[in-house]
Amino acid sequence: MKLKLDVAEMAEEFFQDAHLLGIVAPIRDYQFCWYLNQLFRFRFRANNDIEIQMTKKSRSYYFPIYEYAEPNQFLVHYLYKNHHDGEYLLPEFRHLDFLWLIKGDNVQAAFIAEMISSIRTINGVQLVVELTNEKIRNKEHLIF
C-alpha cells in the first residue's frame, strides 16, 4: 500500500493566514536584509533549519530563508531568495529576486500597502507587488 501526502491541502493550510510579496531587487540577500532591518527595525536572521533544498537534474539547490518574529505578536516574516545557481523557487516568477511571506495575525490591507510603499524606498528595489494565492502555481515550494 502506498501513502500519498496531500500537498495541496497542506499548502492551503500554510497560506491561510499569509500574505506574499514579490520583490525585484538585484542585490545580495544579506544586504537586502540589512536594509530591511534598518528600515523596519526588524532583526531578520538566516534560519538554516528551514532552508529549502530542491533537487533538479540530479543537482541540489539551496534557497536560504531569513526569519523575523515580531515581539508580542503572532506575526512572523520570512524572506526567501527566489533563485539559486540558475534555478528558481517559484519558476512562474523568474523575474522576482525575493519573496516576502508575512504569516500569522490577521494583517490589514493598509499595513501591507504601507510596507510595500516603504520597501520601494530602498535603494536597488525596482518592484514590489503583492502576489495572490491564485497566481502561485508552486506554493508547495515555499512550505518548510
Side-chain angles (χ1 to χ4, degrees):
M1 180 167 99
K2 246 188 193 179
L3 295 177
K4 189 171 193 260
L5 187 62
D6 187 354
V7 179
E9 189 178 312
M10 206 165 66
E12 283 307 310
E13 207 172 286
F14 185 82
F15 287 99
Q16 197 169 17
D17 57 353
H19 292 270
L20 186 65
L21 305 179
I23 302 165
V24 176
I27 52 180
R28 300 244 180 237
D29 46 352
Y30 60 84
Q31 189 177 19
F32 187 55
C33 282
W34 185 86
Y35 286 131
L36 294 173
N37 287 341
Q38 299 303 308
L39 182 64
F40 295 110
R41 300 193 191 288
F42 283 1
R43 301 189 88 178
F44 268 113
R45 297 284 181 257
N47 185 340
N48 296 332
D49 294 336
I50 58 174
E51 175 181 78
I52 295 176
Q53 178 186 353
M54 285 176 34
T55 304
K56 284 188 175 180
K57 302 172 198 135
S58 69
R59 278 191 62 198
S60 292
Y61 298 92
Y62 299 92
F63 299 91
I65 301 176
Y66 296 83
E67 180 181 26
Y68 172 68
E70 292 204 30
N72 308 318
Q73 292 187 44
F74 292 108
L75 194 61
V76 184
H77 301 264
Y78 301 97
L79 187 70
Y80 300 75
K81 181 96 164 108
N82 190 38
H83 48 78
H84 177 264
D85 206 18
E87 281 299 329
Y88 297 87
L89 193 56
L90 292 183
E92 63 269 33
F93 295 112
R94 291 175 180 266
H95 62 288
L96 298 175
D97 296 303
F98 298 99
L99 303 161
W100 185 335
L101 181 71
I102 302 165
K103 190 169 167 37
D105 280 345
N106 190 10
V107 178
Q108 301 299 314
F111 175 79
I112 298 295
E114 194 177 303
M115 288 195 73
I116 289 172
S117 180
S118 296
I119 295 166
R120 285 184 177 141
T121 67
I122 295 174
N123 200 7
V125 171
Q126 298 170 0
L127 174 76
V128 184
V129 64
E130 184 167 8
L131 304 173
T132 58
N133 278 347
E134 301 80 51
K135 290 182 181 174
I136 307 166
R137 286 197 309 265
N138 295 291
K139 286 180 191 157
E140 67 278 0
H141 292 182
L142 300 177
I143 298 172
F144 38 81

